[in-house]
Amino acid sequence: MPNPVEVDAQDLFSGLPQRYDLLAELLSFGQNRRWRHAMVDAALRTAPDARRVLDVATGTAGVALHWTDRAQVEVTGVDLTEQMLRRGRENVARRGRGDRIRLLLGKAEAMPFPDATFDAVTFTYLLRYVDDPAATLVELARVLKPGGALASLEFAVPGNPALHAAWYGYTRGVLPAAGMLTGGREWARVGNFLGPSISGHYRVNPVESIVGYWRAAGIEEVRTRQMSLGGGLVMWGRKADV
């Protein structure tokens, strides 16, 4: 029986790849790229000698490509949606990075790699789409070498009441309408889904709990950075040495 969360994620994103990169930037006011760069930079500060990198929920390979811009690394990107990976492979080929990036179909909850394979692991907008975030973090930490860096980027909910009200209005009103105008029905559907999904996730998994999941998975020195007045959250840490 398919996991309902996986079915929802695959269904939600299967119609988006053709215009995903452009619309992701437009609808986030250009913040998506800046957030991803902040995540990769945090991972590199934690593991400056990283050579083998795993990027989970890689989508159209934007993070994987930035890794290869920033360091001499080989990146394995994993995603649940074949259509997104197909677009990602086109982006990788266009940039001439096929010798340094490989993209695979797979699930974050069951990585097809041996223990301690990678020097750094990054993941983006992932935890809302898995049934058990704590168990998923254990699995991602499993394939990370001791001393390696784990880093993530997720949407977040601003804590300031005024900013929260503005965020709520944008995610419930502006985002669905803008998605329809710029990307059609598929993007309107994403716009309607996104705000309630983010709010619901943090009701069940507040940031303090997520930090606890990281620590329980063996990640030390866990740090967080709010991005863009609380609309994004970068988190990173180091896997404990054996």
Side-chain angles (χ1 to χ4, degrees), residues 48-83:
D49 297 324
R51 291 296 176 265
R52 297 188 69 189
V53 173
L54 173 65
D55 184 50
V56 182
T58 198
T60 58
V63 171
L65 285 164
H66 185 61
W67 264 110
T68 60
D69 289 338
R70 292 283 287 113
Q72 291 299 313
V73 295
E74 295 182 356
V75 184
T76 300
V78 174
D79 199 272
L80 188 65
T81 307
E82 180 59 47
Q83 293 91 331

Side-chain angles (χ1 to χ4, degrees), residues 202-219:
Y202 286 108
R203 277 196 297 270
V204 177
N205 304 283
V207 174
E208 295 79 7
S209 295
I210 297 171
V211 170
Y213 303 159
W214 283 54
R215 290 173 176 159
I219 307 300

Side-chain angles (χ1 to χ4, degrees), residues 1-240:
M1 180 75 67
N3 180 324
V5 177
E6 292 171 5
V7 171
D8 288 347
Q10 288 176 298
D11 185 44
L12 186 71
F13 289 105
S14 61
L16 305 186
Q18 191 63 32
R19 302 181 68 192
Y20 179 85
D21 299 300
L22 172 62
L23 292 177
E25 295 305 321
L26 288 175
L27 298 181
S28 69
F29 298 104
Q31 297 305 293
N32 176 64
R33 184 186 303 271
R34 189 172 74 87
W35 295 351
R36 293 187 306 187
H37 290 185
M39 176 186 66
V40 171
D41 288 349
L44 274 172
R45 289 195 301 271
T46 304
D49 297 324
R51 291 296 176 265
R52 297 188 69 189
V53 173
L54 173 65
D55 184 50
V56 182
T58 198
T60 58
V63 171
L65 285 164
H66 185 61
W67 264 110
T68 60
D69 289 338
R70 292 283 287 113
Q72 291 299 313
V73 295
E74 295 182 356
V75 184
T76 300
V78 174
D79 199 272
L80 188 65
T81 307
E82 180 59 47
Q83 293 91 331
M84 296 289 276
L85 289 175
R86 191 175 302 125
R87 184 66 172 179
R89 293 185 183 106
E90 293 173 1
N91 291 340
V92 169
R94 189 177 302 112
R95 292 282 304 278
R97 299 289 170 84
D99 58 334
R100 297 173 61 192
I101 299 173
R102 64 170 182 156
L103 302 180
L104 305 174
L105 193 68
K107 300 190 299 183
E109 303 94 318
M111 290 281 94
F113 309 110
D115 295 355
T117 298
F118 298 97
D119 303 304
V121 175
T122 52
F123 61 92
T124 307
Y125 310 133
L126 171 67
L127 295 186
R128 287 179 294 115
Y129 300 103
V130 299
D131 279 340
D132 190 337
T136 300
L137 283 161
V138 170
E139 175 66 359
L140 297 181
R142 179 187 67 79
V143 301
L144 182 61
K145 294 179 181 179
L150 183 68
S152 73
L153 166 62
E154 299 283 353
F155 289 115
V157 179
N160 178 280
L163 293 175
H164 182 271
W167 175 88
Y168 190 94
Y170 177 72
T171 58
R172 268 53 170 198
V174 177
L175 191 57
M180 175 61 81
L181 288 173
T182 57
R185 186 169 299 172
E186 291 91 350
W187 274 92
R189 185 181 176 204
V190 171
N192 281 311
F193 166 83
L194 196 59
S197 170
I198 297 167
S199 297
H201 173 67
Y202 286 108
R203 277 196 297 270
V204 177
N205 304 283
V207 174
E208 295 79 7
S209 295
I210 297 171
V211 170
Y213 303 159
W214 283 54
R215 290 173 176 159
I219 307 300
E220 300 178 333
E221 303 172 28
V222 181
R223 300 182 64 184
T224 63
R225 177 185 173 188
Q226 290 189 346
M227 306 293 295
S228 304
L229 304 176
L233 180 69
V234 174
M235 188 175 296
W236 68 97
R238 183 191 313 273
K239 184 175 179 178

